Amino acid sequence: MRYAVFLAFLLAACQTSAPHGFTESGVASPVAADVTSVSASLPDWVPSHFSITPRSVSAPESRGGEIVFSIQQGQCTGHSDHTGSSDCATRTTRSTIQTGKVWEQQVEWQRGQRFLYSFEFRIDPSLRYQGRARGEGSQLVLARWEGAEGGQPLFDLKLDARHGVTFMGRTCITPEQFGDWHRFNLRLRWADDDTGFIEARCDGSLHVGDPIFAASGLPTNRPLACALKDNCPANTLRPSRFNMQLGLIADPNLPPRRGGFVPLTQNGAKVAMRRILVRRLYVIFGRKDEF
């Protein structure tokens, strides 16, 4: 009898911790993997401070010198933590790795520090999700920088089959360039005042040429869209520590907000990444204040 009660307890615990998927009608369906069981599967070349995000519906696949992330519409996990409600509650689908520490120094990303975030990516050309016809309307995210305390998104690198890969509405690559490898570089200073700056570059030198986006003299610990206009609400969170997610996030809570999952179509979304680098910067050359 005691053994039966113990077995029932174990089964109940497994059922509550496993990820779930939902169709648009809200009916539950299984997903491919429980990432809590494969968290150690990242390849050795990925910086050691990265780990698979607990909210991921599937773990990235390791293929030689790259890792591949893939998601399908309607998948989510019931995992919840200090960053807020579960992805099933918000209808969010993700498969990402994340970090909030620096490889060499093993210190958390904090206000006053300057960093380079760099990685190469390749978008599967079968992507059919169109985003919006105008503006920076994609709800599919390739990389996200956020506050570590509450998980508040600050700025995203986005993608869709209509606009390609974009940062703050500026083009990094076009849809015609899907299928090829490209590099994204982001330099910034985390700040709560006008000492902050941010500069994004694609496929070019860090020191010469024009970035795709640059801004200075603004706080970078608030959502960039409102910080640029100096109209962030008074109750906007102002985190002192920060985090980054790499992979894929289908986030219906980005404008235009929807009640259901992001319509990825039956192809879903897939991206490969390699040569991931996070480095603390002490000297910066060739930075543009605005672009």
Side-chain angles (χ1 to χ4, degrees), residues 63 66 68 120-125 142 173 177-182 270-274:
R63 300 179 182 176
E66 64 189 63
V68 180
E120 292 185 1
F121 64 89
R122 182 176 62 194
I123 308 299
D124 190 322
L142 184 64
I173 66 168
Q177 295 174 292
F178 288 179
D180 298 325
W181 284 102
H182 302 276
K270 183 181 293 185
V271 61
M273 292 188 175
R274 66 184 185 186

Side-chain angles (χ1 to χ4, degrees), residues 20-138:
H20 296 80
F22 284 79
T23 64
E24 284 292 352
S25 62
V27 178
S29 61
V31 296
D34 181 348
V35 298
T36 59
S37 66
V38 291
S39 60
S41 64
L42 291 179
D44 292 340
W45 60 264
V46 176
S48 59
H49 55 291
F50 277 91
S51 61
I52 298 173
T53 308
R55 292 171 179 260
S56 296
V57 295
S58 60
E61 300 177 44
S62 175
R63 300 179 182 176
E66 64 189 63
I67 52 177
V68 180
F69 304 85
S70 60
I71 57 174
Q72 296 291 326
Q73 180 178 343
Q75 294 180 331
C76 63
T77 67
H79 178 90
S80 61
D81 50 32
H82 69 283
T83 62
S85 302
S86 73
D87 282 355
C88 284
T90 61
R91 295 299 189 260
T92 302
T93 299
R94 84 181 74 210
S95 177
T96 61
I97 58 176
Q98 67 178 13
T99 184
K101 294 182 180 294
V102 183
W103 185 24
E104 291 90 355
Q105 295 92 350
Q106 288 294 302
V107 296
E108 294 181 279
W109 305 346
Q110 301 176 18
R111 289 187 306 218
Q113 297 175 341
R114 298 179 294 184
F115 283 95
L116 166 66
Y117 304 96
S118 182
F119 56 91
E120 292 185 1
F121 64 89
R122 182 176 62 194
I123 308 299
D124 190 322
S126 69
L127 180 70
R128 295 293 179 265
Y129 169 64
Q130 295 290 307
R132 290 180 67 189
R134 295 182 300 172
E136 196 209 358
S138 178

Side-chain angles (χ1 to χ4, degrees), residues 150-219:
Q152 177 193 38
L154 301 175
F155 37 87
D156 295 329
L157 183 65
K158 299 182 178 182
L159 71 154
D160 62 59
R162 188 193 307 269
H163 305 97
V165 174
T166 61
F167 184 81
M168 296 304 294
R170 307 282 184 85
T171 299
C172 176
I173 66 168
T174 65
E176 291 74 24
Q177 295 174 292
F178 288 179
D180 298 325
W181 284 102
H182 302 276
R183 175 164 286 281
F184 181 77
N185 293 305
L186 184 76
R187 296 191 292 187
L188 64 76
R189 183 181 194 272
W190 291 114
D192 188 39
D193 53 26
D194 61 5
T195 62
F197 66 79
I198 187 167
E199 176 195 65
R201 293 174 181 265
C202 289
D203 290 340
S205 169
L206 280 175
H207 306 148
V208 296
D210 291 328
I212 63 168
F213 176 87
S216 299
L218 78 168

